[in-house]
Amino acid sequence: ANIFSAVKGNKSVIVKIYRVNSCNFNKMFDYIKSDPRYATLQGKKRNIIFHWVQREYRNLMKARQAGVKVPTPITFKNHILVMEFIGGDEGAALMLKDDRPKDLEKFFNEIIKNMKRLYKAGLVHGDLSPFNILNFKEKPVLIDFSQCSSLRDSRAEEYLKRDVKNICDFF
C-alpha cells in the first residue's frame, strides 16, 4: 500500500491506498482464506483487495473498542482506508525500529498489555514487529491491522507465536 498524509477539515489524517494492480494478492488471500469471518469470500483479486481494506478497518475498530492503542479508523471505500494521523506538529510518529524508547522495559510492557487486550477481543495481530509499532510520545501505537485474524482462524496460534517472537527478539 501507499501511505499519504492529508487534511480533513482542520485535522491531519492518513490515507492508505492499496495498489490494485501490483499488490501481493497471494499473500493477502493466504491470510484471509483461513479467517472464518471471510469463509464465503471468492478468490477474485479485486474482491479480495476490497475485503482486505474492509478487514483492516473492522480490525482497527474492534481493537480500539478493546482499549488497544491503534489509529482511529475513519472510513474506507474499495481499496482506500482513511485513519487518524499519529503524530503532532513535529511530524508523524516514527516506527519503533527507527525510534527506540528511552525506557525499554516500560515500552515492552505496554506492548504486552496491548497484545493481551487484542487477544481478549478475539484477535491476533499476525504481523506485529518493530515495523508495525509506532513510538508516539514514548508509548506504543500498533498499526497495520490488515493481517490481523480472528482467534478462530486455524493459523491464529502460529500468528501469535510469531508476534511474540518478533517482539521478544527486538527487545
Side-chain angles (χ1 to χ4, degrees), residues 25-105:
F25 165 75
N26 291 328
K27 184 178 178 185
M28 286 179 170
F29 190 64
D30 191 45
Y31 271 97
I32 211 166
K33 71 182 179 187
S34 61
D35 188 331
R37 298 174 297 172
Y38 297 91
T40 61
L41 185 61
Q42 299 297 315
K44 294 180 182 171
K45 184 176 182 176
R46 194 173 208 63
N47 197 24
I48 296 294
I49 295 165
F50 292 173
H51 277 83
W52 190 253
V53 173
Q54 179 187 75
R55 179 183 201 219
E56 182 164 15
Y57 177 87
R58 289 181 175 180
N59 287 337
L60 283 165
M61 290 295 286
K62 192 169 184 179
R64 187 155 183 81
Q65 290 168 349
V68 179
K69 297 294 184 188
V70 300
T72 303
I74 298 169
T75 192
F76 70 92
K77 182 168 183 163
N78 297 332
H79 62 291
I80 301 169
L81 173 64
V82 180
M83 60 191 130
E84 171 189 19
F85 174 83
I86 304 297
D89 294 335
E90 65 282 352
L94 297 176
M95 290 180 216
L96 176 59
K97 74 171 188 72
D98 297 323
D99 188 16
R100 287 183 168 267
K102 291 175 182 74
D103 187 338
L104 287 172
E105 184 176 350

Side-chain angles (χ1 to χ4, degrees), residues 114-160:
N114 280 290
M115 291 175 73
K116 286 179 178 179
R117 289 177 183 139
L118 194 60
Y119 190 86
K120 285 180 183 176
L123 297 171
V124 61
H125 188 283
D127 193 27
L128 197 58
S129 74
F131 290 85
N132 290 327
I133 300 171
L134 302 178
N135 181 355
F136 181 58
K137 298 181 179 180
E138 295 296 307
K139 296 200 184 250
V141 178
L142 282 54
I143 61 169
D144 199 4
F145 273 70
S146 53
Q147 296 92 342
C148 184
S149 296
S150 163
L151 291 178
R152 297 181 325 224
D153 186 316
S154 62
R155 297 179 65 193
E157 185 176 343
E158 170 192 340
Y159 298 150
L160 180 61

